[in-house]
Amino acid sequence: MPFNQASLKQRLAGKFIGHHLHYYETIGSTNDEAVRLGMKGSPEGTALVAETQSAGKGRMRRAWHSPPGANIYTSIILRPQFEPDRAPQISLAAGVAVAETLNPYCPGDVCLKWPNDVLINEKKVCGILTQMKMSGSAIDFVVVGIGINVNWNHEQFPEDIQSMATSVSIEAGREISRLELIIRLYENMAKCYRELAQNGFAPIREKWLGLTSMIGKSISVMFQEEKVTGKAVGLDNDGALLLLTAGNETVKVSAGDATILKR
Ligand code: BTN
């Protein structure tokens, strides 16, 4: 079923996220467009939704498959009043918001993988790409881009991601209303963002740690050509993953692709 644009606008009227809504049948990337709108001064809480993206962007310069009619591709403009080094906390808060949104569809099976993947039964269902624009030494705005595989069937997945990706409908065993899902997503994102702004990172960090299965496990993180391995022991204030290495040293990993080692 296509998104019902009129229902979406009506249901989001007056909401912090989505009151200012831009809907596109097709677009290159909602993140790229959100950056353009942010630079033109679009207000905090502006949301962009696309039925399909022709150049969807993932982390580490990867592409994000964005076929029409099945999934959610959205970007949200935020204008946080805090220091730029806290920006990664917004990505982690978005992960918590997505996990809390998906959990009722697949209770107990949703989990977070650092830095910002959401998994159901250990397969990736959502990716988050956060971009920040500065104004001098302060944050001008942050774009939180969220892609959720919602009603994608297994046969429709590109071969290269078939073994590691899933969709909400596959895991829940039924078709999912994208309209209901996106409305809950924006509500949860608004709640997590307000929590972060009002009470600092601690409550979001606790929620994040409660939603991940990484802590205590042996993890390796690849960033560019470098690989760091250790036991995941926590999250730092700036959102970095803390690893305890074999040499009993705690190292901070700020970016990269994490693998949970099966041993
Ligand atoms: C990842 O690599 O895991 C992040 C994927 C983020 C994809 C979303 S879809 C909506 C928004 N627009 C984009 O081009 N990317 C993000």
Side-chain angles (χ1 to χ4, degrees):
M1 252 228 288
F3 261 121
N4 184 328
Q5 204 192 141
S7 312
L8 198 56
K9 287 209 161 148
Q10 193 194 350
R11 295 275 300 271
L12 292 170
K15 303 281 184 191
F16 171 57
I17 296 177
H19 176 72
H20 297 278
L21 184 77
H22 297 257
Y23 177 85
Y24 309 89
E25 278 304 328
T26 177
I27 197 166
S29 152
T30 54
N31 262 39
D32 286 349
E33 188 57 22
V35 169
R36 275 192 283 274
L37 291 176
M39 307 234 279
K40 283 197 207 153
S42 283
E44 173 157 84
T46 297
L48 294 80
V49 181
E51 184 64 74
T52 177
Q53 298 182 116
S54 56
K57 300 191 327 187
R59 289 175 57 240
M60 322 277 255
R61 296 172 182 269
R62 295 185 190 117
W64 186 258
H65 298 285
S66 310
N71 301 328
I72 286 177
Y73 317 109
T74 184
S75 299
I76 300 162
I77 300 174
L78 298 172
R79 296 187 181 274
Q81 299 290 307
F82 42 74
E83 296 301 310
D85 59 351
R86 288 188 58 199
Q89 297 174 357
I90 297 177
S91 257
L92 296 164
V96 169
V98 174
E100 288 183 342
T101 304
L102 299 187
N103 204 41
Y105 297 92
C106 302
D109 295 334
V110 181
C111 123
L112 292 172
K113 179 167 165 259
W114 184 90
N116 47 19
D117 289 350
V118 185
L119 315 181
I120 304 183
N121 291 321
E122 295 181 19
K123 291 185 168 187
K124 181 161 170 170
V125 71
C126 165
I128 298 167
L129 178 68
T130 305
Q131 295 176 256
M132 174 170 67
K133 279 275 172 237
M134 303 281 293
S135 165
S137 59
I139 300 177
D140 183 3
F141 63 90
V142 169
V143 167
V144 182
I146 302 173
I148 307 178
N149 302 334
V150 183
N151 287 318
W152 225 3
N153 296 324
H154 212 250
E155 315 80 68
Q156 298 172 309
F157 279 72
E159 227 167 78
D160 56 323
I161 60 165
Q162 252 182 25
S163 62
M164 47 202 181
T166 192
S167 70
V168 187
S169 69
I170 292 172
E171 301 300 328
R174 63 183 171 91
E175 199 179 336
I176 306 296
S177 158
R178 286 185 295 164
L179 180 74
E180 295 304 326
L181 203 158
I182 205 165
I183 285 164
R184 291 180 197 178
L185 171 68
Y186 291 164
E187 275 168 8
N188 284 326
M189 185 63 213
K191 192 181 76 184
C192 289
Y193 178 60
R194 284 205 177 104
E195 173 93 83
L196 197 59
Q198 286 165 11
N199 302 323
F201 186 42
I204 292 295
R205 179 182 12 214
E206 284 318 300
K207 282 187 185 168
W208 197 95
L209 291 171
L211 282 161
T212 190
S213 62
M214 293 175 97
I215 301 301
K217 293 207 177 128
S218 191
I219 307 289
S220 83
V221 181
M222 271 310 278
F223 182 60
Q224 289 164 356
E225 297 300 288
E226 227 192 300
K227 183 171 170 179
V228 189
T229 302
K231 189 167 85 172
V233 288
L235 271 186
D236 205 7
N237 222 9
D238 55 7
L241 184 67
L242 297 173
L243 293 181
L244 184 66
T245 65
N248 234 11
E249 192 193 346
T250 304
V251 292
K252 277 177 62 160
V253 195
S254 306
D257 274 330
T259 308
I260 302 175
L261 302 172
K262 305 270 184 224
R263 57 183 157 90

